[in-house]
Amino acid sequence: MIWLNWRQFRLHALAGAVGLLVIAAYLLYLGFDVRDAHAAYRSRCADPGTCAQAKSQFEGAYRTTLLFLAGGLGLIPVLIGAFWGAPLVARELELGTHRLVWNQSITRRRWLLGRIAFVGLAALVFAGSASMLLTWAASPYDRVAADRFGTIVFGARHIAPIGYAFLSFVLGTVVGLLVRRTLPAMAITGVVFLIVQFAVPNLIRPHYMPPETTALPMTAQNINQAKNLGSITGAPAIGGLQVPGAPDAWVSEISPLRTADGRTVPGSDFNGCLNSAPKTGAEGTFGDTAVCLSKLDLHVDFQYQPGSRYWTFQATETGLYLVVGAVLTAVALRRVRRS
């Protein structure tokens, strides 16, 4: 059984091994480069006056590269499901070779379980290795950027990709078993798993644990630390703020600007400061606008997940994908008896 699985999977395994070697070579090069740049950044932080600029330059040098790498490696589970999972049974059914296998002494269930175990283990090793390599390469940057909860970053680091790969592979196997044709099964698997990968971070992940809440007064200094003011709808919104004293926290929700009694600041007051703030010569990202808004005695309410919960979220999400994958495996084993 193992020999048969190897013969049928060896070309896929060879392609995966070559791809992993290429990924490893680049990430090893990038990892050492990031560490050299991080050491240079730390040396410049001996002078507090230049530390902020050095931090900004270090993050800017690698932000786009690491984001693209996280997005690219995030597609590995999709490819595993489409190219390893979907054809696993669909090709046998499409070509009719399943009749020969199923007429042997081995049962259908045992045959399918053996195939899932053999190829599935290879999928986990491949996805886990790529994830650990990227995690190692990006670790100095991640410590500085403090964005481990970012939607793309979270899904490309540590153990979560192992769960993604398992679910995607089993999903492809089940779809192939139901559709019985390889190309449609590959397409359906890719689309369905991409939908899952969009839905989980936005609809499910924020609810793994009840969020903490806090309020932040909108002083001119705090407003100038934001990344944006306002919105396309004209709402009195502020974005890009961090939880005081917890830069690595995941801010899941920031309220609109609110007055001292908890009401949303009137649009006329907000737009007045935004568009025609009195000239004070104030410096900072938003200058006079920040000074104008600070005089309105405003605050925002945060909902956030502390950085200390990161590993709990990683384990929870990985476990969720593994459990759903196990359920789909049971469905496949039940279905194969009637195929």
Side-chain angles (χ1 to χ4, degrees):
M1 185 67 182
I2 294 177
W3 175 246
L4 176 61
N5 284 329
W6 167 247
R7 285 185 61 83
Q8 292 180 315
F9 183 64
R10 57 187 176 181
L11 292 180
H12 297 80
L14 179 61
V18 171
L20 187 59
L21 285 175
V22 172
I23 292 171
Y26 177 73
L27 289 179
L28 286 172
Y29 162 77
L30 179 65
F32 287 117
D33 189 53
V34 170
R35 280 157 174 76
D36 289 342
H38 182 257
Y41 148 67
R42 294 297 299 171
S43 67
R44 292 176 62 186
C45 274
D47 179 5
T50 62
C51 190
Q53 182 182 7
K55 179 177 182 290
S56 177
Q57 290 175 345
F58 173 68
E59 291 182 6
Y62 296 100
R63 181 183 297 110
T64 302
T65 298
L66 291 172
L67 192 62
F68 272 108
L69 282 172
L73 295 185
L75 292 176
I76 287 178
V78 181
L79 299 177
I80 286 174
F83 288 93
W84 289 8
L88 192 72
V89 180
R91 181 172 291 126
E92 300 276 4
L93 297 173
E94 193 172 28
L95 299 177
T97 53
H98 65 290
R99 298 187 183 93
L100 175 62
V101 176
W102 291 353
N103 284 326
Q104 305 301 313
S105 59
I106 191 171
T107 65
R108 297 182 183 187
R109 277 183 160 183
R110 185 179 174 188
W111 169 81
L112 180 58
L113 187 59
R115 298 219 66 189
I116 290 176
F118 187 88
V119 183
L121 180 60
L124 300 188
V125 170
F126 185 88
S129 298
S131 170
M132 294 307 167
L133 284 165
L134 178 58
T135 300
W136 171 82
S139 59
Y141 174 88
D142 288 344
R143 289 195 297 271
V144 174
D147 189 32
R148 295 187 300 172
F149 276 106
T151 300
I152 297 178
V153 173
F154 182 92
R157 303 286 200 272
H158 297 108
I159 61 175
I162 296 175
Y164 303 163
F166 179 68
L167 177 57
S168 181
F169 169 71
V170 177
L171 174 66
T173 302
V174 173
V175 171
L177 185 59
L178 297 175
V179 176
R180 304 173 71 92
R181 295 181 60 191
T182 303
L183 291 179
M186 294 171 66
I188 292 171
T189 299
V191 170
V192 170
F193 193 73
L194 284 174
I195 293 173
V196 170
Q197 288 295 77
F198 174 81
V200 170
N202 293 285
L203 302 178
I204 300 178
R205 187 183 298 163
H207 305 291
Y208 290 159
M209 297 181 70
E212 301 285 341
T213 59
T214 190
L216 179 67
M218 287 291 93
T219 64
Q221 180 181 0
N222 287 336
I223 293 172
N224 280 323
Q225 291 176 354
K227 293 182 179 179
N228 59 276
L229 271 175
S231 68
I232 58 175
T233 63
I238 186 168
L241 290 170
Q242 293 181 334
V243 178
D248 59 342
W250 174 27
V251 178
S252 54
E253 185 177 338
I254 302 178
S255 72
L257 290 165
R258 290 174 172 167
T259 59
D261 58 3
R263 295 181 300 170
T264 300
V265 64
S268 57
D269 293 346
F270 176 75
N271 290 324
C273 287
L274 196 64
N275 300 321
S276 56
K279 302 298 182 181
T280 64
E283 298 181 349
T285 305
F286 299 104
D288 295 332
T289 297
V291 174
C292 179
L293 289 172
S294 69
K295 294 179 179 179
L296 300 178
D297 191 21
L298 304 177
H299 71 275
V300 293
D301 295 319
F302 283 102
Q303 289 190 1
Y304 69 98
Q305 299 290 347
S308 59
R309 295 180 179 178
Y310 174 79
W311 277 107
T312 301
F313 272 61
Q314 277 273 323
T316 301
E317 187 149 311
T318 304
L320 173 66
Y321 277 74
L322 292 177
V323 168
V324 176
V327 171
L328 288 179
T329 301
V331 171
L333 294 174
R334 183 179 179 84
R335 176 69 183 182
V336 77
R337 295 179 62 186
R338 300 197 299 269
S339 297

